[in-house]
Amino acid sequence: MDFIDELKNLKEQIKFNQKFNITSEYDNIVISGMGGSGIVGDIFQEKFSKKPVITVGDYGIPEFVNERTVFIGISYSGNTEETLNNVDEAMKKNAHVYAITSGGKLADRVKNSIIIPSGLQPRSALGYMLMPLFNTFDPVDDDIIKKTYDILDSMDKNHDEMRREALKIYENSYIPIIFGSRPFKSVAYRWKTQFNENSKTFAFYNYFPELNHNDTMPLKKAYRRDEYRYYVFNSDNLRIQRRIEITQEITGESFNIITAPTNEYFEKLFYLIHYADYLTYELALVREVDPTDVSTIEELKSKLS
Amino acid sequence: MDFIDELKNLKEQIKFNQKFNITSEYDNIVISGMGGSGIVGDIFQEKFSKKPVITVGDYGIPEFVNERTVFIGISYSGNTEETLNNVDEAMKKNAHVYAITSGGKLADRVKNSIIIPSGLQPRSALGYMLMPLFNTFDPVDDDIIKKTYDILDSMDKNHDEMRREALKIYENSYIPIIFGSRPFKSVAYRWKTQFNENSKTFAFYNYFPELNHNDTMPLKKAYRRDEYRYYVFNSDNLRIQRRIEITQEITGESFNIITAPTNEYFEKLFYLIHYADYLTYELALVREVDPTDVSTIEELKSKLS
């Protein structure tokens, strides 16, 4: 599949209807994943808080994990070293272990695995990996899925805005800084990683209101300020919206506000994700780098093994 | 107190012996704080995992908070908007609410408050805010406290290494990027915020192994690579140590490895924290900015209120 076809596949992925059948009682949910698979747990954690949700992006699991824990390993390839290590540890502690993967060792090891289609770049399979979590713990209405589909479809057909923005970044060699806010802090991180992997550029992120306690100082007084370009997600939280305005006013910086055509959580989530898909893809094209190339990461994995 | 005296005060703070008297049973711990107070919960969470610990750096608390939750609000001033909001919400949900503060509205509102000395910059009171968490949940041996005191004391007497490093940053207008690893990912974030607040420079962070899934690409192929200077904490985890070596090898970047004179968790924690104290302080001096000045943050708070 071409990379552009992978991007266009996202709207199909949100229809993925598999879910876990969790029959036991549990006290907490631990989700283990790295990179493009790890972001899935972070997105879910920001939305769902009826139980404590702990995400692990590392070797090793928390001490509290026990037979009252739902433990979910997510790895697109099914062969991510850190995640396999953690699934083994969780099994030893008698947690209820589940997995989301396209196959690999993870599918072999975890009986309760949801198998998703293979053949994509892991970062292009975000919808497949995320939907089982929503379907299981926090189902999304059909009409919202349908509206989201239409939003993504119209972005697939026309992403001139993202192409123009990519050109601006390219012409100025800007480094993007993305300022998210809840429930889309994890999406700011997703933007960063898409710039890293697709465009091969640095990118950084922070979020309101936390950045008002630190990044606000250099925004006004640092050197190299002109080399950055700031992206901020429009918020329907009035306190956050006010912070966005005042931060620009007192620092003199001007943010590019990304405004979704909707305030509904799920629709906005995928709009913001897809915006970065196209922005970082277009930036790769204009920089003449291959958006699918992650050879440096692959080289590292092979040297480690 | 002069700022340099505040820095030197850290070694006294680790002797702070107050703790909470928690007599009720509980299932989880939620810690709410922002900026220099928020980092306290993040440091603690990385070390302690016998119960689920959730940190909140935002307005609003998780839905699961109830009468089986220990909820700890941390605000040095006692007047942080986000934290006060969250303490009120936690009380409404009948959580066991505690606080660490030098006074303000938080001390008025929360009966079970540990009152710490006032008159410092919040970011200079890290030891006072952190010790009650350790004392309560994960006490530190006296001989480790003593050894840590000696390490900090020797840094107070001689920090030529950090001064030289600050000069290098200044002469090249470098932007620091700090790559931490567990259990010191939060310390990498602390470095970032100290650069922001003390030196008024941008700074960014990530951690091993997560950065091997994204930042590894631009490390090799991005523009503006030469404008960054990379700091990495030495790890006694062999898998992480190997990742640090291979990442340098395949990207061609050279990291400045910060090696603590000890591998004991608590001693190393405070060594790494204090390293950044002096590095960012010296950078402020050579840049001729006032390390105590956080007027932009204060201006924002007053416009918000």
Side-chain angles (χ1 to χ4, degrees):
Chain A
M1 213 191 269
D2 276 353
F3 197 65
I4 188 83
D5 293 324
E6 291 194 8
L7 297 189
K8 288 183 182 173
N9 188 246
L10 185 64
K11 62 181 179 294
E12 307 300 335
Q13 297 178 22
I14 60 174
K15 296 180 188 170
F16 188 65
N17 61 9
Q18 296 279 303
K19 64 176 184 175
F20 295 116
N21 179 25
I22 300 178
T23 50
S24 332
E25 300 261 306
Y26 61 95
D27 293 334
N28 45 64
I29 302 169
V30 176
I31 305 176
S32 177
M34 303 300 305
S37 304
I39 188 79
V40 174
D42 294 329
I43 290 172
F44 177 69
Q45 184 195 38
E46 255 188 285
K47 175 62 165 58
F48 179 86
S49 72
K50 285 181 186 145
K51 301 266 185 183
V53 178
I54 306 274
T55 60
V56 178
D58 221 313
Y59 297 100
I61 66 174
E63 277 184 67
F64 68 78
V65 170
N66 62 20
E67 68 289 345
R68 301 273 302 175
T69 298
V70 164
F71 189 96
I72 304 173
I74 307 182
S75 164
Y76 184 69
S77 68
N79 295 319
T80 306
E81 177 181 284
E82 299 94 319
T83 309
L84 288 170
N85 168 84
N86 293 352
V87 161
D88 289 345
E89 286 189 23
M91 283 178 168
K92 276 183 209 143
K93 298 181 110 186
N94 297 316
H96 303 281
V97 177
Y98 300 83
I100 302 170
T101 180
S102 72
K105 292 177 193 162
L106 190 56
D108 292 340
R109 239 173 266 195
V110 180
K111 202 186 78 188
N112 290 313
S113 283
I114 287 178
I115 306 297
I116 59 177
S118 61
L120 298 163
Q121 299 279 339
R123 62 190 178 284
S124 300
L126 180 65
Y128 284 133
M129 292 190 276
L130 185 57
M131 292 314 297
L133 297 180
F134 280 119
N135 297 339
T136 306
F137 301 103
D138 197 7
V140 183
D141 288 349
D142 284 348
D143 66 314
I144 291 176
I145 299 278
K146 197 186 165 313
K147 276 185 209 153
T148 308
Y149 185 99
D150 291 342
I151 289 171
L152 296 181
D153 187 48
S154 87
M155 296 171 88
D156 290 339
K157 286 175 179 146
N158 181 346
H159 42 271
D160 291 348
E161 180 183 338
M162 298 69 143
R163 184 179 297 129
R164 279 194 302 272
E165 195 55 44
L167 202 65
K168 254 180 229 164
I169 293 174
Y170 172 72
E171 284 170 349
N172 298 281
S173 301
Y174 281 134
I175 306 273
I177 297 185
I178 307 104
F179 292 148
S181 59
R182 202 166 59 174
F184 303 113
K185 288 149 49 169
S186 51
V187 178
Y189 183 69
R190 165 76 176 184
W191 277 50
K192 169 208 154 20
T193 60
Q194 290 288 73
F195 275 113
N196 295 160
E197 291 186 77
N198 293 344
S199 320
K200 283 79 181 165
T201 59
F202 282 111
F204 304 103
Y205 78 110
N206 203 337
Y207 68 90
F208 287 96
E210 172 67 12
L211 72 92
N212 284 145
H213 298 264
N214 43 68
D215 271 324
T216 303
M217 289 310 301
L219 271 177
K220 188 164 183 181
K221 300 200 176 171
Y223 46 79
R224 298 206 188 279
R225 280 200 311 287
D226 296 344
E227 299 177 0
Y228 295 92
R229 188 161 174 85
Y230 306 93
Y231 296 93
V232 174
F233 305 151
N234 183 53
S235 173
D236 55 350
N237 177 323
L238 293 179
R239 252 358 236 166
I240 297 294
Q241 199 52 44
R242 187 96 184 93
R243 283 176 179 271
I244 294 171
E245 286 156 17
I246 296 177
T247 304
Q248 293 183 88
E249 184 187 321
I250 65 174
T251 63
E253 285 295 346
S254 171
F255 302 150
N256 298 277
I257 312 284
I258 307 296
T259 304
T262 164
N263 272 324
E264 196 287 321
Y265 164 76
F266 189 84
E267 297 165 18
K268 186 169 174 180
L269 172 70
F270 275 93
Y271 175 85
L272 292 174
I273 287 169
H274 217 35
Y275 197 105
D277 287 345
Y278 279 113
L279 177 56
T280 59
Y281 169 76
E282 293 290 343
L283 182 57
L285 295 193
V286 71
R287 282 197 71 206
E288 298 183 345
V289 297
D290 176 0
T292 66
D293 168 33
V294 286
S295 56
T296 315
I297 293 172
E298 294 306 328
E299 188 183 347
L300 181 130
K301 282 183 191 165
S302 94
K303 288 205 184 229
L304 266 172
S305 63
Chain B
M1 213 190 268
D2 277 350
F3 196 64
I4 189 82
D5 293 326
E6 291 195 9
L7 298 189
K8 288 182 181 173
N9 187 246
L10 184 64
K11 62 181 179 293
E12 307 300 335
Q13 296 179 21
I14 59 172
K15 296 180 189 168
F16 188 65
N17 61 9
Q18 294 281 303
K19 64 175 183 175
F20 296 116
N21 180 23
I22 300 178
T23 50
S24 331
E25 300 262 307
Y26 61 95
D27 293 333
N28 46 64
I29 302 168
V30 175
I31 305 176
S32 177
M34 303 301 303
S37 304
I39 189 79
V40 173
D42 294 328
I43 290 171
F44 177 70
Q45 184 195 38
E46 256 189 285
K47 176 63 167 59
F48 179 86
S49 71
K50 284 180 187 146
K51 301 266 187 186
V53 178
I54 306 275
T55 60
V56 179
D58 220 314
Y59 298 101
I61 66 173
E63 277 184 66
F64 68 78
V65 170
N66 62 20
E67 69 289 345
R68 302 272 303 176
T69 298
V70 164
F71 189 98
I72 304 173
I74 307 181
S75 164
Y76 185 69
S77 68
N79 295 318
T80 306
E81 177 182 284
E82 299 94 319
T83 310
L84 288 169
N85 168 83
N86 293 353
V87 160
D88 289 345
E89 287 188 23
M91 283 176 168
K92 275 184 208 145
K93 298 182 110 188
N94 297 315
H96 303 280
V97 177
Y98 300 82
I100 302 170
T101 181
S102 71
K105 292 178 192 162
L106 189 56
D108 292 340
R109 238 173 266 196
V110 180
K111 202 185 79 190
N112 289 314
S113 283
I114 288 178
I115 305 296
I116 60 177
S118 61
L120 298 163
Q121 300 278 340
R123 61 190 178 285
S124 301
L126 180 65
Y128 284 133
M129 293 189 275
L130 185 58
M131 291 315 296
L133 296 181
F134 280 119
N135 297 339
T136 305
F137 300 102
D138 197 7
V140 183
D141 287 350
D142 283 348
D143 66 316
I144 290 176
I145 299 277
K146 198 185 165 311
K147 276 185 208 153
T148 308
Y149 185 100
D150 292 341
I151 288 171
L152 296 180
D153 189 47
S154 89
M155 295 170 87
D156 290 339
K157 286 175 179 147
N158 181 347
H159 42 272
D160 291 347
E161 181 184 338
M162 296 71 142
R163 184 178 299 127
R164 280 195 302 272
E165 195 54 45
L167 203 63
K168 255 179 229 165
I169 293 174
Y170 172 72
E171 284 170 349
N172 299 280
S173 299
Y174 282 134
I175 308 273
I177 297 185
I178 309 102
F179 293 147
S181 59
R182 203 165 61 173
F184 303 113
K185 287 148 51 168
S186 51
V187 178
Y189 183 69
R190 166 74 175 185
W191 277 50
K192 170 208 152 22
T193 60
Q194 290 288 75
F195 276 112
N196 294 160
E197 291 185 77
N198 293 345
S199 319
K200 283 77 181 166
T201 58
F202 281 112
F204 304 103
Y205 78 111
N206 204 337
Y207 67 92
F208 285 96
E210 172 68 10
L211 72 94
N212 283 146
H213 297 265
N214 44 68
D215 270 326
T216 303
M217 288 311 301
L219 271 177
K220 188 164 182 182
K221 301 200 175 171
Y223 45 80
R224 299 204 187 279
R225 282 200 311 285
D226 296 345
E227 299 177 0
Y228 296 92
R229 190 163 172 83
Y230 306 93
Y231 297 94
V232 175
F233 305 151
N234 183 52
S235 172
D236 54 350
N237 177 326
L238 293 180
R239 256 351 239 168
I240 297 295
Q241 198 54 42
R242 188 95 183 93
R243 282 176 179 272
I244 294 170
E245 285 156 18
I246 296 177
T247 304
Q248 292 182 89
E249 185 187 321
I250 65 174
T251 63
E253 287 294 347
S254 173
F255 302 151
N256 298 278
I257 312 286
I258 307 296
T259 305
T262 163
N263 272 323
E264 197 287 319
Y265 165 77
F266 189 84
E267 298 165 17
K268 186 169 176 181
L269 172 70
F270 275 94
Y271 175 85
L272 292 175
I273 287 168
H274 217 36
Y275 196 105
D277 287 346
Y278 279 113
L279 178 55
T280 60
Y281 170 75
E282 293 289 342
L283 181 56
L285 296 193
V286 71
R287 282 197 70 205
E288 297 184 346
V289 298
D290 176 0
T292 67
D293 167 33
V294 285
S295 56
T296 314
I297 293 172
E298 294 305 328
E299 188 183 347
L300 181 130
K301 281 182 191 165
S302 94
K303 288 207 183 225
L304 265 173
S305 66

